[in-house]
Amino acid sequence: MVALDGPSGTGKTTVARKLAQRLSAGYLDTGAMYRVVTLAVLRAGTDPADAGAVTEVARGAEFTIGTDPGRPSVALGGEDVSAEIRGADITHAVSPVSAVPQVRELLVARQRRIIDEVLAEVGGIVVEGRDIGTVVAPDAPLKVYLTASPEIRAARRSAQDTAAGRESSHADARASVDRRDRLDSSRAASPLRAAEDAVHLDTSELEIDQVLVALCELAGHRGLLDCAAEATR
Ligand code: DC
C-alpha cells in the first residue's frame, strides 16, 4: 500500500492514479468521499457549518466510490456525480464538512474497509488524501507527502478548472488554495500534516512523469511492487 498525502494542486490525484495503474493496484481518492458527503449536505439544504446536521446527512448518505484507477467514479443514490463533486460550491463547502470529527470517523472507518477489501482482492492500493499516513493507515509501508509552492498549486488548479470547462482566474484559484490550506491545516480533527516517517517530495519544478519516476523508485526501494523499470522506459 502507498499513502499519498498533501494539499491540493501538488499533482496528487494524477500521480496517484498513474502510479496505481503502473503497479496494477487499486486506487482510492478519499477527498472524493468528503466531496460526495458535501454534495449530499448541500442537496439536503443543510448548513455545512452545522456539525450535528452534517453528521446526520453523512450517516444517511448512500454513496459508492470506485477503486479502478482507470475509471474513478463516485455515485450518490445511484447517480454518477463524479463531475459535480468537483464544482466550486463543493470545493468551498468541503472544508467545514471534513472538519466535523463524526464525519471523519465515519469516512475513515469506510476507507479502512475499502483498503482491506482491495488489498485482499487486488494485492495493492494507492490511497490519496490528507490523513492517510497519519490516521487512516499509519502502518502503510510507503508514505509520501507531496508539496508544491502555493503559487504553482493555484496555477495548476486554475488550469484544471479551465480544462474542465469551469470558470477560473488565477487570483480566485490562489484565494481558494490559501483558504483551504488554512482550514485543512488548522482544524482540530486530523489536521493536514505529514507523517513523521513520510518521504517529502516537492513537485513545484517537476513534471508528472518525473514525480512518477521518483515514486516508482521509492516503491522499489521499499520492496513494494516494482514499477521503476517500466516508468523509466
Ligand atoms: O483532495 P480534494 O481536494 O478532493 O479534497 C477535498 C477536501 O477534503 C479537502 O479540502 C480536505 C478534505 N480531505 C480531508 O480532510 N481528508 C482526506 N483524507 C481527504 C480530503
Side-chain angles (χ1 to χ4, degrees):
M1 167 177 175
V2 181
L4 263 185
D5 287 304
S8 74
T10 50
K12 218 168 51 232
T13 299
T14 310
V15 159
R17 285 181 56 188
K18 288 192 177 212
L19 181 65
Q21 285 177 309
R22 289 266 165 91
L23 296 171
S24 300
Y27 160 68
L28 181 61
D29 175 1
T30 60
M33 296 172 73
Y34 288 95
R35 285 176 180 271
V36 73
V37 168
T38 303
L39 176 62
V41 165
L42 295 187
R43 282 192 178 174
T46 300
D47 177 1
D50 182 343
V54 165
T55 303
E56 280 308 300
V57 174
R59 291 211 171 107
E62 286 184 12
F63 71 87
T64 54
I65 178 145
T67 54
D68 175 351
R71 253 185 337 113
S73 63
V74 188
L76 179 62
E79 176 198 350
D80 187 337
V81 293
S82 310
E84 196 173 349
I85 59 165
R86 307 284 159 199
D89 47 347
I90 302 291
T91 300
H92 192 82
V94 69
S95 288
V97 169
S98 62
V100 177
Q102 291 87 345
V103 171
R104 304 202 68 82
E105 216 174 280
L106 206 76
L107 293 188
V108 167
R110 179 128 175 219
Q111 288 155 14
R112 289 182 178 146
R113 280 201 302 278
I114 296 172
I115 292 168
D116 286 347
E117 280 164 21
V118 173
L119 284 176
E121 279 170 27
V122 186
I125 186 165
V126 178
V127 185
E128 65 152 301
R130 304 289 192 285
D131 60 344
I132 311 307
T134 50
V135 176
V136 177
D139 295 333
L142 176 57
K143 301 177 190 177
V144 180
Y145 191 81
L146 293 183
T147 56
S149 71
E151 207 45 37
I152 297 248
R153 292 194 285 121
R156 288 177 182 163
R157 185 39 52 111
S158 176
Q160 251 171 22
D161 283 342
T162 305
R166 290 187 293 267
E167 230 175 86
S168 175
S169 73
H170 183 76
D172 288 347
R174 177 65 203 257
S176 169
V177 159
D178 287 347
R179 175 180 171 275
R180 275 211 294 157
D181 279 1
R182 204 176 54 250
L183 292 173
D184 295 346
S185 310
S186 64
R187 69 177 176 227
S190 311
L192 169 65
R193 65 180 173 81
E196 270 174 23
D197 52 350
V199 179
H200 290 243
L201 190 58
D202 187 331
T203 69
S204 302
E205 307 292 331
L206 300 177
E207 300 292 335
I208 291 293
D209 279 348
Q210 294 174 301
V211 179
L212 205 53
V213 168
L215 292 181
C216 281
E217 275 175 14
L218 284 168
H221 289 159
R222 297 288 159 111
L224 286 173
L225 304 151
D226 191 354
C227 64
E230 196 184 335
T232 47
R233 241 182 245 155

